[in-house]
């Protein structure tokens, strides 16, 4: 159990600080997408460099998230949250001043380190500060703000790139970070977890494994799939991940206890999250470039035209939250994922080198509604699938798997794009994008199937009434 070691900060302040910090970290996942053509023109680089501009952030973010949560539990959640926020803010400034593509990628990697420490602690600090009866509402607001970051990422990136410069997509974080640092110190209460030893071997195995696989996928189209470095990355990465799983089943204090996946609720929502982000991130990576490079829209116009997809959660999320309270989260999340898959498949069918926006709009709307139905109940499903003492680990694991899905999605779908098409003409771009979108649609449909593994609320309530105090999976916490 967490122990308060400083002044109680207040639920309202905790909600504001953690939501804004989460917004910054989530925004930087997608804010780069509409700036990619301008970055490519300004700093140079090929497809693999553009992939790393996004994946350097998502990959370091993913592989260090659970370690960041463990650091907070061990050394103080508020202290590590402030440290992560400071690193993220400084790296944002470094990215804005990057003189070349390699230095930009390096700054993005450091940004990911800061976000990995900061992001999982937002939900843990919020949970500690908010009374149990109001946590459902707090999670909903926190999730909506993160959804706003996803919604506004392409638009913010496009607007800043077109009207100022692409560097301002990173400068934007600096004043926000500088404002949050003293507020976090003064208004958040310090808390600690169990003080378990840090899992350094687990972190190294997971980090090395994921890096090897993503490196192989990113370099495969350029170097050839039989290249020695590509094969080494793929095989060594797979071996290290297998070692991570084996190690985590036997370690005394693993970073990610494999026993959590014995819960169908935890396993189902995390599998759905990984697959959903794989399909979504890879699709946005290509569609943002398609709208500018093929259809000729400006960065701002591209961001605006993607709003029916990325912005729909702002309109539908409240309805989705009500439906989840009445029906349980499983049917809402599964329906949303199947709608997202349908939208991506439809986009693959209508995409041409001269497609009208009207022909794409139904696909964007359907995908947006699907995204909203997923985001609204997902965080609550994760946090309620484990015991309160394990919520920090659960938060870190879910966020890590989402980011892993994003990094893999960009790598996999860019590889498919490179194998079937390229940047030479509008038609070659479409030839590469279509099979990638079909793949994204199939992956998100698999996410919907995974969501159906989550137990129903009625079954969960029967389990909660058993003699042993089992973890509550989906009862309404509000």
């Amino acid at each position: 159990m967490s122990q308060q070691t400083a002044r109680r900060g207040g639920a309202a302040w905790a909600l504001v600080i953690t939501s804004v910090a989460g917004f910054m970290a989530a925004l930087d996942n997608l804010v780069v997408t509409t700036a990619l053509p301008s970055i490519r023109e300004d700093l140079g680089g090929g497809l693999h460099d553009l992939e790393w501009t996004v994946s350097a952030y998502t990959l370091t973010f993913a592989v260090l998230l659970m370690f960041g949560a463990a650091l907070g539990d061990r050394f103080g959640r508020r202290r590590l949250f402030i440290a992560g926020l400071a690193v993220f803010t400084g790296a944002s400034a470094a990215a804005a001043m990057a003189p070349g593509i390699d230095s930009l990628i390096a700054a993005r990697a450091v940004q990911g380190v800061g976000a990995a420490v900061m992001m999982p602690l937002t939900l843990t600090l919020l949970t500690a500060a908010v009374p149990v009866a109001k946590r459902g509402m707090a999670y909903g607001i926190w999730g909506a703000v993160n959804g706003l970051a996803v919604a506004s990422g392409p638009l913010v990136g496009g607007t800043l790139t077109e009207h100022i410069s692409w560097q301002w997509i990173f400068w934007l974080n600096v004043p926000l970070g500088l404002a949050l640092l003293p507020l976090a110190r003064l208004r958040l209460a310090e808390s600690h977890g169990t003080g378990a030893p840090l899992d350094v071997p687990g972190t190294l195995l997971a980090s090395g494994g994921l890096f090897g696989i993503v490196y192989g996928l990113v370099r495969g189209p350029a170097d050839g799939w039989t290249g020695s470095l590509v094969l080494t990355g793929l095989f060594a990465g797979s071996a290290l991940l297998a070692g991570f799983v084996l190690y985590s089943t036997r370690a005394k204090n693993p970073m990610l206890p494999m026993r959590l996946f014995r819960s169908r609720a935890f396993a189902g929502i995390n599998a759905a999250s990984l697959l959903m982000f794989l399909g979504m991130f890879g699709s946005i990576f290509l569609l943002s470039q398609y709208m500018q490079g093929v259809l000729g829209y400006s960065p701002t116009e591209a961001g605006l035209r993607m709003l029916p997809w990325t912005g729909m959660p702002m309109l539908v999320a409240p309805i989705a939250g009500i439906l989840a309270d009445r029906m349980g989260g499983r049917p809402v999340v599964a329906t949303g994922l199947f709608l997202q898959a349908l939208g991506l498949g439809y986009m693959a069918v209508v995409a041409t080198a001269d497609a009208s926006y009207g022909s794409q709009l139904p696909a964007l709307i359907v995908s947006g509604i699907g995204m909203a139905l997923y985001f609204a109940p997902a965080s609550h499903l994760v946090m309620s699938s484990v015991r309160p003492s394990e919520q920090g680990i659960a938060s870190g694991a879910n966020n890590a798997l989402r980011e892993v899905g994003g990094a893999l999605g960009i790598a996999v779908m860019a590889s498919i794009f490179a194998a079937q098409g390229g940047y030479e003409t509008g038609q070659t771009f479409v030839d590469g994008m279509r099979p990638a979108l079909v793949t994204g649609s199939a992956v998100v449909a698999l996410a919907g199937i995974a969501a159906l593994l989550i137990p129903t609320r009625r079954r969960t309530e029967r389990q909660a009434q058993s003699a042993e105090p089992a973890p509550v999976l989906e009862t309404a916490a509000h």
Side-chain angles (χ1 to χ4, degrees), residues 84-100:
L85 178 60
V87 170
F88 180 86
T89 304
S92 297
M97 296 185 290

Side-chain angles (χ1 to χ4, degrees), residues 237-255:
S238 299
L240 288 171
L241 282 185
F244 169 73
V245 173
L246 183 62
Y247 165 83
S248 298
T249 60
R250 300 179 178 181
K252 184 177 181 181
N253 295 291
M255 176 175 65

Side-chain angles (χ1 to χ4, degrees), residues 466-477:
S466 63
E468 182 182 355
V472 179
L473 300 185
E474 205 182 313
T475 53

Side-chain angles (χ1 to χ4, degrees), residues 357-442:
Y357 182 63
S359 67
Q360 303 168 54
L361 188 58
L364 295 170
I365 292 174
V366 171
S367 293
I369 293 173
M371 184 187 294
L373 293 177
Y374 162 82
F375 273 125
S379 294
H380 189 218
L381 280 172
V382 171
M383 298 301 280
S384 59
S385 67
V386 297
R387 294 179 175 86
S389 61
E390 298 172 327
Q391 286 178 338
I393 296 173
S395 171
N398 183 252
N399 280 289
L401 289 170
R402 288 184 181 189
E403 298 301 322
V404 167
L408 290 176
I410 292 171
V412 169
M413 294 175 69
S415 296
I416 295 171
F417 166 83
Q420 301 294 323
Y423 287 101
E424 291 81 10
T425 66
Q427 187 58 51
T428 57
F429 193 99
V430 172
D431 290 343
M433 185 181 71
R434 275 181 166 173
L437 291 181
V438 171
T439 302
S441 174

Side-chain angles (χ1 to χ4, degrees), residues 48 52 208-239 411 415:
H48 63 279
W52 278 117
L210 289 169
F211 178 82
I213 290 174
V214 172
Y215 177 85
L217 290 171
V218 168
R219 294 301 308 177
D223 296 348
W225 292 104
T226 57
S228 58
L229 288 178
V230 172
L231 291 176
T232 299
L234 292 174
F235 284 114
S238 299
S415 296

Side-chain angles (χ1 to χ4, degrees), residues 85-476:
L85 178 60
V87 170
F88 180 86
T89 304
S92 297
M97 296 185 290
I101 192 71
D102 292 336
S103 55
L104 175 60
I105 292 171
R108 289 282 286 165
V110 178
Q111 261 193 315
V113 173
V117 176
M118 173 178 72
M119 186 66 174
L121 296 177
T122 60
L123 208 51
T124 311
L125 288 165
L126 182 63
T127 300
V130 177
V132 174
K134 296 182 179 180
R135 282 179 188 166
M137 179 180 67
Y139 292 155
I141 295 172
W142 182 88
V145 173
N146 278 267
L148 178 62
V150 174
S152 60
L155 178 58
V156 170
T159 301
L160 291 174
T161 298
E162 181 178 354
H163 296 291
I164 308 178
S165 71
W166 63 262
Q167 286 87 349
W168 277 89
I169 64 179
F170 302 115
W171 282 126
L172 179 66
N173 292 322
V174 176
L176 289 175
L178 292 177
L180 285 184
L181 285 169
L183 286 176
R185 177 67 182 84
L186 295 172
R187 296 294 181 178
L188 292 179
E190 184 63 281
S191 63
H192 293 77
T194 59
L198 298 175
D199 184 11
V200 176
T203 301
L204 293 175
L205 286 170
S207 302
L210 289 169
F211 178 82
I213 290 174
V214 172
Y215 177 85
L217 290 171
V218 168
R219 294 301 308 177
D223 296 348
W225 292 104
T226 57
S228 58
L229 288 178
V230 172
L231 291 176
T232 299
L234 292 174
F235 284 114
S238 299
L240 288 171
L241 282 185
F244 169 73
V245 173
L246 183 62
Y247 165 83
S248 298
T249 60
R250 300 179 178 181
K252 184 177 181 181
N253 295 291
M255 176 175 65
L256 178 58
M258 291 295 129
R259 59 181 169 74
L260 293 179
F261 290 95
R262 297 173 188 165
S263 162
R264 281 176 52 199
F266 186 82
I269 190 59
N270 279 288
S273 296
L274 184 147
L275 294 169
M276 187 271 191
F277 271 68
L278 195 158
M280 182 190 73
F281 265 64
S283 300
I284 291 178
F285 175 78
L286 293 174
L287 284 170
S288 61
Q289 296 181 74
Y290 165 71
M291 288 190 170
Q292 296 178 65
V294 177
L295 301 183
Y297 297 124
S298 71
T300 303
E301 290 171 340
L304 284 170
R305 280 165 173 76
M306 291 182 74
L307 273 179
W309 180 11
T310 59
M312 192 61 69
M314 295 301 97
L315 299 177
V316 180
I319 301 172
I322 294 172
L323 291 174
D325 285 342
R326 294 181 178 179
M327 303 166 55
R330 183 182 77 156
V332 178
V333 167
T335 300
L337 291 169
F338 288 128
L339 287 175
Q340 175 89 281
L342 178 64
L344 289 177
Y346 186 88
M347 178 63 77
V349 172
V350 302
T352 63
D354 57 353
S356 68
Y357 182 63
S359 67
Q360 303 168 54
L361 188 58
L364 295 170
I365 292 174
V366 171
S367 293
I369 293 173
M371 184 187 294
L373 293 177
Y374 162 82
F375 273 125
S379 294
H380 189 218
L381 280 172
V382 171
M383 298 301 280
S384 59
S385 67
V386 297
R387 294 179 175 86
S389 61
E390 298 172 327
Q391 286 178 338
I393 296 173
S395 171
N398 183 252
N399 280 289
L401 289 170
R402 288 184 181 189
E403 298 301 322
V404 167
L408 290 176
I410 292 171
V412 169
M413 294 175 69
S415 296
I416 295 171
F417 166 83
Q420 301 294 323
Y423 287 101
E424 291 81 10
T425 66
Q427 187 58 51
T428 57
F429 193 99
V430 172
D431 290 343
M433 185 181 71
R434 275 181 166 173
L437 291 181
V438 171
T439 302
S441 174
V443 168
V444 177
L446 287 176
I449 295 173
L452 294 177
L453 295 174
I454 301 170
T456 62
R457 172 154 45 190
R458 188 170 299 173
R459 185 179 301 175
T460 300
E461 288 172 348
R462 287 201 301 267
Q463 180 180 352
Q465 293 169 359
S466 63
E468 182 182 355
V472 179
L473 300 185
E474 205 182 313
T475 53

